[in-house]
Amino acid sequence: PIAGSVYLYSAIAFGDFPAVVAGVNLLVDYHVSTALLAISLSNYLKVAIGDVTGLNASDIPTQILAPLTLALVTAILCGGAEHGALVNNFCVVVKICIVLLIVVLGCSHVHQENLTPFVPEGWDAVFAATSVVIYSYTGFDAVANAAEETMNPQRDVPIGVVVTLATCAVLYV
């Protein structure tokens, strides 16, 4: 790790052992997030394949689609940084368009009377939902890791972090 990594920050601030713990924690976070993403995407693919082919979606094994999804992503990334960045930018634009579409279509279904009581299922439901929404914030440390790739890191990295956090906060709230 050279620029911006949690390992480097932890090593400088706290020493080697806390840095290793932080680094391993980050690796576990990425692996769990990737596994959950692959399983979720494979479930969506199952339904899409079932809709297109007329097959029953439950007959299509998730255990095969998830590793194939990861293999496809790995092949894209092996194509080089420019190719991976192009695919990543396309995926980001598609995701933002989908979220904006949901927000715009959802605005017509907001009714003032539905806001009372404000938390009808209780705060336990809010905290349970938080455990799912937190995945939208996973990966912001990757922005800091990309510092050595930018032309002007002292200006670009803070702008990147603030803009992405603000965008997620506005779209998800």
Side-chain angles (χ1 to χ4, degrees), residues 89-121:
N89 290 340
F90 173 76
C91 290
V92 167
V93 168
V94 169
K95 286 188 287 186
I96 289 175
C97 288
I98 289 170
V99 171
L100 288 174
L101 179 69
I102 290 169
V103 168
V104 168
L105 293 177
C107 285
S108 64
H109 298 286
V110 175
H111 303 289
Q112 190 70 26
E113 61 271 7
N114 290 340
L115 298 177
T116 306
F118 185 66
V119 185
E121 302 296 324

Side-chain angles (χ1 to χ4, degrees), residues 17-129:
F17 182 72
V20 170
V21 170
V24 169
N25 183 33
L26 187 63
L27 288 174
V28 170
D29 180 39
Y30 281 151
H31 282 84
V32 169
S33 298
T34 303
L36 290 173
L37 178 69
I39 290 169
S40 298
L41 187 56
S42 66
N43 284 328
Y44 283 120
L45 286 174
K46 276 175 45 170
V47 172
I49 290 170
D51 288 346
V52 170
T53 63
L55 295 172
N56 185 0
S58 62
D59 294 337
I60 303 168
T62 304
Q63 295 83 0
I64 293 174
L65 287 177
L68 288 176
T69 304
L70 291 176
L72 176 66
V73 171
T74 301
I76 291 170
L77 292 175
C78 287
E82 289 181 13
H83 190 255
L86 181 67
V87 172
N88 185 48
N89 290 340
F90 173 76
C91 290
V92 167
V93 168
V94 169
K95 286 188 287 186
I96 289 175
C97 288
I98 289 170
V99 171
L100 288 174
L101 179 69
I102 290 169
V103 168
V104 168
L105 293 177
C107 285
S108 64
H109 298 286
V110 175
H111 303 289
Q112 190 70 26
E113 61 271 7
N114 290 340
L115 298 177
T116 306
F118 185 66
V119 185
E121 302 296 324
W123 287 103
D124 288 341
V126 172
F127 292 127

Side-chain angles (χ1 to χ4, degrees), residues 117-142:
F118 185 66
V119 185
E121 302 296 324
W123 287 103
D124 288 341
V126 172
F127 292 127
T130 303
S131 67
V132 175
V133 174
I134 194 68
Y135 284 108
S136 66
Y137 291 95
T138 302
F140 284 106
D141 58 326

